Amino acid sequence: MAEHQGRHARVESTRGSSGRTTSAGSSRPQPQRPSQSQRSVRSTQVGGSQQPRSGSSRMGSDSTSRYAREPQRSPQRSHSRYAESQRRADRARAGARKRKGPTRRSGRASSWALRIAAVVLLLVVFAVGGGIAGFLASDQGASGEHRFTESLGEGVDAQIEPIYDWGNLRMTEDGRCVYEMNGEVVSRQGIDVSAHQEYIDWSAVADDGIDFAMIRLGYRSVDEGNVALDDYYAYNLEQAQASGLDVGVYFFSAAVTVEEAVEEAQFCIENLQAQDAHLQYPVVFDLEMSYGGRVEGLTRDELTAIAQAFCTTVEEAGYQAMVYGNASDMLCFNLGDLSAYPRWHAEYTPSPAYAYYDFVMWQYTDSGQVAGIVGNVDLDLDLSAARPEGR
């Protein structure tokens, strides 16, 4: 942004009787007050050929005549006017000081009122949030440990022990998270992809330190409700496995009934069998309320039943089911009723701070960079090996 101009010193010029230009700061002759006889003589010479007095030529003959006609002011009268103006100024300043006091006090009162209102609003929001209120009471030590709360349905919460020590989380130079225990990396690095990434060079992906891939199998549109296969599903599944990566799939759901959830699960099963897919990672149910559309207005019980129907159908076909979402998405379910299914948590922060539930996989960024993929891609961390035995 260009700097403002105006730092140049201003020089005002006046022109003296000799015609020379002088600076505003230089001294110039001041007009002398004429005597009574001089005023009388000069008043008869207005408009004549008299020479201007020494001093500024701006006075001119006109100025001389005005000056000559100016009445004399009484020194006492001038003094009284000055005194009166001073008294008025003093009264105005005193009034201003009186007005400022209450203004500051009222400003402070308004500031405190706003703070109190903000605190009340925050408490209301977290109280309505149900399970997330328990997170406010959670312990988060210097090591980064969290104490999560898990919704058990019907609004009942129970404390569960911390699963991960986020002090063991480390960011590598290439912007990837790893989880270490006893100086050894125990997490696995993954990506999740769809037709949005278009063509992927899976050999380059495998050579760039990626261990597994979650591939979108299909989706239901949030408006019309049509079910469709991802355009790159078959290619991504085949090439990722051929490159030595472990693979799982996910389905973006917009089901509004249990029957539609079963339909989505059957769609996944049929297409997995058609590809003769052997998955190492789960078939994931992904319903995100933030997309709105036809799922708006569904209750927590309805959404929980929909998720249960999808996961149950998938597991009856011999696959592992999983539920995906961020903290807001998970609030839409009675998680206690879905406790049989592992969770894939989405949160783009240095360490998960908003998950009030247990999870085994963490989607930690949507702007990862991986060889073989043009543009950004989601990065995921599999924390299965970091979990205590029996958890």
Side-chain angles (χ1 to χ4, degrees):
M1 190 182 300
E3 294 183 358
H4 292 290
Q5 302 299 317
R7 297 180 181 177
H8 302 293
R10 186 181 62 179
V11 178
E12 297 181 355
S13 299
T14 58
R15 189 172 297 277
S17 59
S18 63
R20 293 191 303 271
T21 301
T22 60
S23 67
S26 61
S27 61
R28 68 182 182 198
Q30 300 296 320
Q32 302 295 321
R33 192 175 185 86
S35 64
Q36 183 64 33
S37 60
Q38 289 174 322
R39 288 199 301 271
S40 300
V41 172
R42 287 174 181 164
S43 64
T44 62
Q45 295 176 342
V46 175
S49 59
Q50 66 178 17
Q51 296 294 323
R53 295 178 298 158
S54 62
S56 173
S57 61
R58 285 182 295 177
M59 297 293 292
S61 59
D62 230 8
S63 297
T64 304
S65 63
R66 288 196 300 272
Y67 187 84
R69 290 195 298 269
E70 184 178 0
Q72 289 288 331
R73 291 178 179 150
S74 168
Q76 294 180 350
R77 185 178 178 185
S78 298
H79 178 73
S80 63
R81 288 184 178 178
Y82 173 78
E84 177 65 23
S85 66
Q86 286 295 102
R87 285 193 292 273
R88 290 178 181 173
D90 291 341
R91 286 195 297 270
R93 283 192 293 270
R97 284 194 295 271
K98 290 179 181 178
R99 288 192 297 272
K100 287 180 180 178
T103 300
R104 287 195 295 269
R105 286 194 294 272
S106 62
R108 287 194 293 269
S110 299
S111 176
W112 277 110
L114 288 174
R115 292 176 186 176
I116 292 171
V119 171
V120 171
L121 179 60
L122 187 62
L123 292 175
V124 170
V125 168
F126 279 103
V128 172
I132 205 167
F135 177 73
L136 291 177
S138 65
D139 299 325
Q140 181 177 355
S143 65
E145 291 185 353
H146 295 275
R147 183 174 294 276
F148 303 109
T149 63
E150 181 159 11
S151 173
L152 299 179
E154 306 299 326
V156 178
D157 294 327
Q159 289 282 341
I160 63 173
E161 292 301 316
I163 302 299
Y164 308 109
D165 178 358
W166 298 117
N168 293 334
L169 197 65
R170 180 173 61 85
M171 184 71 71
T172 63
E173 293 181 357
D174 56 358
R176 297 179 186 174
C177 286
V178 295
Y179 191 94
E180 299 176 329
M181 296 179 68
N182 301 319
E184 180 184 353
V185 175
V186 295
S187 58
R188 303 189 78 217
Q189 196 72 220
I191 59 175
D192 57 273
V193 298
S194 68
H196 296 297
Q197 277 74 38
E198 298 184 343
Y199 172 79
I200 296 174
D201 182 348
W202 284 101
S203 294
V205 171
D207 291 339
D208 197 20
I210 301 301
D211 302 309
F212 69 95
M214 304 300 293
I215 297 168
R216 188 175 74 168
L217 185 148
Y219 59 93
R220 186 189 292 272
S221 64
V222 297
D223 296 323
E224 294 82 8
N226 300 323
V227 174
L229 191 69
D230 186 286
D231 291 339
Y232 281 77
Y233 156 69
Y235 168 80
N236 285 336
L237 180 66
E238 179 183 349
Q239 293 300 313
Q241 290 187 318
S243 299
L245 297 181
D246 291 337
V247 173
V249 299
Y250 70 94
F251 186 90
F252 181 85
S253 172
V256 295
T257 65
V258 167
E259 290 74 22
E260 286 189 349
V262 172
E263 177 192 4
E264 293 173 353
Q266 290 287 0
F267 182 83
C268 292
I269 295 166
E270 291 170 4
N271 281 280
L272 287 170
Q273 292 174 345
Q275 290 293 116
D276 193 23
H278 299 281
L279 303 182
Q280 295 78 36
Y281 277 80
V283 177
V284 182
F285 176 75
D286 173 14
L287 191 153
E288 302 173 42
M289 293 295 289
S290 59
Y291 280 89
R294 64 201 309 266
V295 298
E296 286 185 356
L298 292 176
T299 66
R300 176 179 286 189
D301 289 340
E302 289 171 332
L303 288 166
T304 302
I306 288 170
Q308 280 181 314
F310 180 97
C311 293
T312 300
T313 305
V314 163
E315 295 212 327
E316 287 175 350
Y319 300 99
Q320 170 70 58
M322 175 181 269
V323 178
Y324 167 91
N326 59 26
S328 297
D329 298 324
M330 294 298 183
L331 274 174
C332 298
F333 302 110
N334 295 318
L335 288 182
D337 297 336
L338 301 176
S339 59
Y341 313 113
R343 303 184 189 103
W344 178 9
H345 174 63
E347 182 180 336
Y348 307 149
T349 56
S351 65
Y354 300 103
Y356 55 94
Y357 45 82
D358 184 19
F359 58 92
V360 298
M361 196 155 70
W362 174 32
Q363 184 187 76
Y364 63 89
T365 183
D366 62 351
S367 56
Q369 298 294 310
V370 175
I373 299 177
V374 177
N376 295 335
V377 65
D378 297 340
L379 294 180
D380 305 283
L381 211 59
D382 175 7
L383 297 165
S384 300
R387 300 173 65 81
E389 290 186 17
R391 297 301 299 270

